[in-house]
Amino acid sequence: MIRLSNICKSFNDQVVLDQLNLTVEPEKITVIIGQSGCGKSVLLKHMIALIRPDSGQVIVDGEDITSLDEKGLNQTRKKFGMLFQDAALFDSMTVGDNVAFPLREHTRLSEKDIEEVVFEKLKLVGLTESFHKMPSELSGGMRKRVGLARAIALDPKIILFDEPTTGLDPIMKDAIDGLIMKTQELTQATCVVISHDIDSAFKIANKLAMLSDGRIVESGTPEEFQASKNPVVVNFIKGHAETNNQN
Amino acid sequence: MIRALEYTGRPFIYIFEEFGRIFTFLINAITWMVRPPLRLRLVFKQMESVGVQSIIVVLITAVFTGMVLALQTFYGFRMFGGEGLVGATVALSMTREIGPVFTGLMVTARAGSAMAAEIGTMRVTEQIDALYAMSVNPIQYLVMPRLVAGVLMLPFLTIVSDFIGIMGGYVVGVFLLNINPGIFMARMVDMVNLGDIFNGLIKSACFGLILSLIGCYKGFNTRGGAEGVGKATTQTVVLSCVSILISDYFLTAFMFR
């Protein structure tokens, strides 16, 4: 389980997260929604300690990771897999080497065994034929699928997705949504998805949380969200820009 | 008055802060150098990138520098009948100064800028965050191998530069300017001692550290997309070249007293 408690984060004078509280339930898909630039990615990066809060606690499996040293953090991060917004594949490596990277770093598997695991993960995302390709030869959607294969290479307990469907066409969006659900079902991992795509969010989420003005203003099941009377949530779901600004 | 002082002092404060940050970065990299895993494969890869791939540009620079040095000193020394000293002058200049400094500048242009661009691109495309997320320390994975490669390969390149520069001087002096080859070599052997060569190599190792440290530091702290990568690369070349020339003076003053 991940619990964020009273998280505050500012960059220079700009307050991004303000006394934020959030609990992510284990073995479920939690989707955090909010407007572009509201701090969703900053929030996600707090969960894996890529960003440290100015104050507050990030509890992962009962341990406050904000007070961990480098060694402790490395141990905690091994529980995580993360799909970055633009996949963050290593340009200098092939697709196969990208997926094999965490296996080579953190396991003692032989090259043959590593290759088997890589094929298995690439098969899951439907990209076995791209094993020897370089990331520059892939489309945006393919890059994200490879990023997902790399994120799940070590079978992590927690998978973080930073805007997995942004910039993709509707068919590819649907494919990525399907992959997230399939991955969660197969691995029973705790999944946290950052998104501003409301259709995708309702489709894949077991639980939704809405971030606005540095706080979680609403959280609940998709059904609860659809019935919400909170004007911020209602305007976001309906896509009412002007009314949203007035709030 | 206070505002004027503030305005004047601000750049100095920035420079001192920047030096402090670079020094901290270096200490961090050295700390990671001695922690397992040793990552020798990455070190060798960087040695190939910094050393082997820079040989051609170092060769071309050195040969023409040696040739023009022989030409210029010949015309100067001829005025008082000192043509025989051309070989010694070329060799001393190459081993003490021109070999290490020009090698440092050339490798900065070729490899230092590449380090900043490569690491900078990794920073702005979240590849460095991805390393952290996969429990791999990017200082150890990206910076340490480049620093080691810079320190180890610059002396080797300088040896090549010294040798080729002297050869260039020999060809111009002996074959074009008709200096007696025996005198050329004898004066050179008389006047150049091992200390000159050795101190030049120590200087080059320092330049290797400077250029790789600045390249990695600027790349690692890149912000702002493609424009940021461009700025980091330019700053690396400018700062490294200036730092090499400034440190050259102090190293020379210290070593050749």
Side-chain angles (χ1 to χ4, degrees):
Chain A
M1 190 180 76
I2 305 171
R3 187 161 59 82
L4 291 95
S5 174
N6 297 317
I7 297 292
C8 294
K9 183 68 188 176
S10 302
F11 294 103
N12 299 321
D13 294 333
Q14 192 190 354
V15 178
V16 180
L17 303 178
D18 181 18
Q19 297 286 325
L20 180 141
N21 291 292
L22 173 70
T23 301
V24 175
E25 289 174 24
E27 298 176 17
K28 296 264 171 63
I29 300 177
T30 301
V31 180
I32 299 165
I33 56 173
Q35 285 184 294
S36 296
C38 73
K40 300 188 294 296
S41 294
V42 172
L43 169 59
L44 194 74
K45 286 179 179 177
H46 273 84
M47 293 182 190
I48 193 170
L50 290 177
I51 297 177
R52 302 256 191 167
D54 297 333
S55 63
Q57 289 182 314
V58 180
I59 313 286
V60 178
D61 287 344
E63 190 175 32
D64 181 9
I65 64 168
T66 57
S67 56
L68 290 179
D69 60 6
E70 183 81 25
K71 199 175 169 187
L73 269 182
N74 279 345
Q75 286 306 316
T76 302
R77 283 174 179 151
K78 285 177 190 168
K79 296 175 185 171
F80 285 84
M82 183 164 180
L83 171 58
F84 286 83
Q85 200 165 340
D86 293 313
L89 300 179
F90 301 125
D91 302 326
S92 56
M93 296 180 193
T94 63
V95 164
D97 286 336
N98 262 285
V99 181
F101 186 85
L103 296 162
R104 288 191 180 126
E105 286 293 324
H106 299 302
T107 68
R108 291 174 184 272
L109 293 175
S110 66
E111 275 303 305
K112 190 169 169 277
D113 292 340
I114 286 175
E115 196 171 311
E116 273 177 29
V117 177
V118 171
F119 261 106
E120 180 200 321
K121 303 301 176 190
L122 285 175
K123 193 177 170 189
L124 185 74
V125 298
L127 280 174
T128 45
E129 77 285 357
S130 300
F131 188 93
H132 295 291
K133 284 187 180 168
M134 297 303 286
S136 57
E137 298 173 71
L138 306 178
S139 68
M142 289 163 88
R143 289 171 69 89
K144 293 207 178 185
R145 282 148 71 194
V146 175
L148 176 57
R150 186 177 68 180
I152 59 173
L154 289 172
D155 297 322
K157 284 170 66 182
I158 305 161
I159 311 173
L160 309 179
F161 299 82
D162 190 358
E163 309 225 8
T165 56
T166 300
L168 301 180
D169 64 74
I171 294 168
M172 190 50 69
K173 269 184 192 178
D174 193 54
I176 296 285
D177 287 341
L179 267 177
I180 294 171
M181 289 191 287
K182 185 177 162 190
T183 306
Q184 199 281 330
E185 200 180 304
L186 284 174
T187 61
Q188 287 300 303
T190 304
C191 296
V192 184
V193 183
I194 292 294
S195 180
H196 54 234
D197 184 334
I198 199 70
D199 294 333
S200 288
F202 276 124
K203 185 176 164 189
I204 64 175
N206 298 118
K207 189 185 165 190
L208 281 158
M210 173 139 188
L211 178 66
S212 180
D213 294 329
R215 289 167 183 241
I216 298 295
V217 292
E218 182 95 26
S219 70
T221 62
E223 293 75 27
E224 286 169 341
F225 251 68
Q226 270 167 333
S228 173
K229 297 277 191 288
N230 186 328
V232 180
V233 176
V234 173
N235 289 332
F236 186 78
I237 292 172
K238 290 183 177 170
H240 287 174
E242 282 178 20
T243 332
N244 220 356
N245 289 340
Q246 282 165 14
N247 290 313
Chain B
M1 178 68 184
I2 290 172
R3 190 170 291 175
L5 276 173
E6 266 183 22
Y7 189 75
T8 320
R10 204 170 292 151
F12 291 99
I13 292 170
Y14 173 78
I15 288 167
F16 281 113
E17 281 179 350
E18 190 75 345
F19 268 113
R21 282 191 288 263
I22 292 175
F23 186 70
T24 311
F25 189 76
L26 173 64
I27 298 298
N28 198 0
I30 291 171
T31 312
W32 277 103
M33 212 174 277
V34 291
R35 287 195 210 175
L38 287 176
R39 301 196 183 280
L40 289 177
R41 195 180 57 82
L42 291 174
V43 173
F44 287 130
K45 192 179 164 198
Q46 287 305 318
M47 284 168 77
E48 197 247 339
S49 170
V50 174
V52 180
Q53 291 180 18
S54 300
I55 280 184
I56 298 294
V57 71
V58 168
L59 281 180
I60 294 170
T61 312
V63 73
F64 282 98
T65 307
M67 286 163 73
V68 80
L69 209 55
L71 212 54
Q72 289 286 18
T73 48
F74 176 80
Y75 293 138
F77 288 174
R78 191 173 56 181
M79 287 191 265
F80 53 88
E83 295 95 328
L85 288 170
V86 167
T89 310
V90 169
L92 276 175
S93 307
M94 286 305 301
T95 53
R96 282 179 164 217
E97 283 301 322
I98 295 174
V101 172
F102 275 30
T103 303
L105 297 179
M106 286 299 116
V107 177
T108 295
R110 210 208 61 78
S113 57
M115 287 177 194
E118 195 178 345
I119 297 178
T121 305
M122 290 185 76
R123 168 61 79 188
V124 300
T125 55
E126 295 185 307
Q127 291 176 54
I128 289 180
D129 280 346
L131 283 172
Y132 277 121
M134 287 186 276
S135 302
V136 175
N137 187 286
I139 299 278
Q140 190 190 40
Y141 192 82
L142 299 171
V143 177
M144 183 277 288
R146 286 166 171 81
L147 289 188
V148 174
V151 173
L152 293 182
M153 292 317 287
L154 261 283
F156 280 103
L157 289 170
T158 301
I159 290 171
V160 173
S161 171
D162 290 351
F163 180 73
I164 295 297
I166 292 168
M167 285 295 104
Y170 182 88
V171 168
V172 169
V174 172
F175 295 109
L176 290 181
L177 305 171
N178 296 318
I179 299 171
N180 184 303
I183 293 174
F184 187 101
M185 293 303 290
R187 288 288 165 84
M188 189 174 79
V189 173
D190 280 349
M191 298 187 77
V192 180
N193 57 47
L194 269 180
D196 295 320
I197 299 169
F198 188 66
N199 285 344
L201 297 183
I202 291 175
K203 281 207 289 190
S204 69
C206 294
F207 299 157
L209 177 66
I210 288 170
L211 72 92
S212 52
L213 177 62
I214 293 174
C216 292
Y217 173 78
K218 287 290 175 187
F220 209 80
N221 291 288
T222 300
R223 296 282 180 279
E227 191 190 355
V229 176
K231 272 186 189 166
T233 311
T234 310
Q235 285 173 356
T236 295
V237 175
V238 173
L239 189 59
S240 297
C241 291
V242 171
S243 303
I244 284 172
L245 294 172
I246 292 173
S247 62
D248 181 46
Y249 171 78
F250 290 104
L251 287 167
T252 305
F254 178 72
M255 290 194 296
F256 293 102
R257 278 182 296 184

